[in-house]
Amino acid sequence: MRNAFGLMLMSLAAATLIATAGWFWTSHRSSAAPQTFAAAQATPAPVHAKPLASRDPIETTGSIPEKAPAAPALQPKQTCANPDALGVSRVVEIDTTGGPGFGFEHFKQIDFLGDKEVVLSFDDSPWPVNTPAVLKALADQCTKAMFFSIGKHATFHPEILRQVAAAGHTVGTHTWSHANLNSKKLNEQTVKDEIEKGNSAVKLALGTAPAPFFRFPELQHNPAAVAYLGTRNIAMFSCDLDSFDFRAKSPEQVINTVMTKLDKQGKGIILMHDFQKHTAEAMPELLRRLKAGGYKIVFMKPKAPMQTLPEYDEAMMKDMKLPVAGVRPVNTIVQTVSQ
Ligand SMILES: [Zn+2]
């Protein structure tokens, strides 16, 4: 009896060990492993870029779901089809309580990256053609990034922003209309509105709360705005390395600026714009150069989702619905009477 009981205990212990090891393996694989699923999700949709002049929220109202779609499913276990992929070397979870600041250009308290460690971040998302191209390049290299979405852009192209989230990237926010929050023209209430409208618009577009990660447009902040975000437990992101890709005249220039700065600094949070054509075109080669240079990607994700403010969520829902009210089917308004 004692022997049988002992054997039973031993096999129980072994089973627990195997189960734990299995969990460790799968959970680490699923969070850090490169992903082919992302590649399928990130295939550029046939979305046509609109000229900037046509940025009118009314025309895109129909694409905002009335009812929030279900949150993207937790990422299934995935493997990377590219054996030479850049991948993700480390995933870090950020506790945003009190609004910590990242990026040594402005916030110099938190130094968490090791030598050769790099965080990829993209601003002004989402935008047709360029954002899907960036997503494809990241998926091909089985790697992950942060995207800071402008609220208005999110309402124009919610389907593209959902592709970003579905591919497992972190989606943070970047105000409603890309206002310079350090401008003397903005009062405290306007600054709050810019931040919170942006947050709620991104949430509405995604169908789920974004990360409590925020980047100031033009990297312009002031103490009052920083204090406000702190009370909202939203982490603030500057950068360690600005690509200045919006000034670049070619993809090569984006690559050269990033690699030159990186080789000098050795690590850092890189700021780019998925909104920019040259950046989108630069991504496949830039990611290859990062891999060849021995750089490792660190993926930042939040410990908990952003808590948006209900009054702004409601206002945004109303705003999005307003233009729809009273709109009849086109064929009841416009009829061909002669041809
Ligand atoms: Zn921006």
Side-chain angles (χ1 to χ4, degrees):
M1 268 311 268
R2 282 177 63 106
N3 277 351
F5 183 67
L7 263 171
M8 219 168 78
L9 268 180
M10 271 175 66
S11 50
L12 232 162
T16 311
L17 197 74
I18 290 165
T20 311
W23 169 82
F24 183 84
W25 173 247
T26 48
S27 64
H28 280 247
R29 295 282 296 171
S30 63
S31 58
Q35 305 175 357
T36 45
F37 173 73
Q41 289 289 317
T43 304
V47 186
H48 299 289
K50 284 182 290 184
L52 293 185
S54 72
R55 287 195 207 174
D56 182 346
I58 292 168
E59 70 181 88
T60 58
T61 304
S63 58
I64 301 280
E66 288 212 5
K67 208 176 150 196
L74 285 176
Q75 297 161 43
K77 277 177 257 165
Q78 294 148 0
T79 51
C80 181
N82 176 1
D84 299 318
L86 178 60
V88 172
S89 75
R90 191 156 73 97
V91 179
V92 292
E93 191 176 79
I94 308 302
D95 180 344
T96 64
T97 307
F102 295 91
F104 271 61
E105 282 215 4
H106 297 98
F107 304 109
K108 302 183 195 300
Q109 299 91 352
I110 305 169
D111 186 8
F112 73 101
L113 292 175
D115 192 32
K116 292 262 174 183
E117 284 193 327
V118 163
V119 175
L120 301 171
S121 68
F122 297 93
D123 285 8
D124 303 355
S125 329
W127 203 248
V129 182
N130 300 337
T131 303
V134 169
L135 288 179
K136 166 117 181 38
L138 294 171
D140 287 347
Q141 288 289 340
C142 308
T143 196
K144 293 284 171 56
M146 297 187 289
F147 289 76
F148 292 91
S149 171
I150 296 174
K152 272 191 182 177
H153 286 188
T155 65
F156 297 157
H157 307 289
E159 73 290 351
I160 300 177
L161 195 60
R162 287 197 292 270
Q163 283 179 33
V164 177
H169 303 292
T170 295
V171 178
T173 61
H174 194 44
T175 71
W176 164 246
S177 70
H178 210 263
N180 176 350
L181 300 189
N182 195 26
S183 165
K184 298 270 182 293
K185 290 178 197 157
L186 302 191
N187 62 29
E188 208 176 308
Q189 184 62 43
T190 321
V191 168
K192 180 182 172 183
D193 289 348
E194 267 291 325
I195 293 169
E196 299 298 353
K197 267 183 85 175
N199 293 344
S200 292
V202 170
K203 180 184 178 184
L204 187 63
L206 283 176
T208 185
F213 287 7
F214 177 86
R215 188 174 263 144
F216 288 98
E218 301 169 41
L219 301 180
Q220 290 287 320
H221 65 275
N222 59 35
V226 169
Y228 176 72
L229 287 162
T231 65
R232 294 280 288 108
N233 297 321
I234 295 174
M236 286 155 266
F237 287 77
S238 175
C239 68
D240 296 308
L241 196 161
D242 195 337
S243 67
F244 288 107
D245 54 352
F246 53 93
R247 287 188 201 154
K249 304 261 185 304
S250 66
E252 290 72 32
Q253 207 179 331
V254 177
I255 296 165
N256 288 341
T257 304
V258 170
M259 292 312 296
T260 304
K261 287 187 174 182
L262 202 48
D263 287 341
K264 198 172 158 200
Q265 293 179 213
K267 64 176 187 178
I269 299 172
I270 305 175
L271 165 57
M272 294 175 280
H273 297 80
D274 54 312
F275 178 72
Q276 297 290 335
K277 183 169 171 276
H278 291 322
T279 304
E281 290 171 356
M283 283 313 292
E285 178 60 19
L286 178 60
L287 297 178
R288 274 193 292 274
R289 293 274 295 274
L290 290 175
K291 167 85 178 176
Y295 292 101
K296 298 184 178 81
I297 301 300
V298 174
F299 177 49
M300 298 178 78
K301 64 178 194 177
K303 190 175 176 189
M306 177 186 278
Q307 300 291 320
T308 55
L309 299 181
E311 60 268 36
Y312 284 90
D313 287 346
E314 279 161 32
M316 189 56 58
M317 291 285 275
K318 252 186 211 164
D319 275 5
M320 291 300 108
K321 278 179 181 171
L322 266 179
V324 176
V327 174
R328 290 176 281 134
V330 174
N331 62 1
T332 69
I333 303 169
V334 182
Q335 281 200 5
T336 305
V337 291
S338 163
Q339 205 165 25

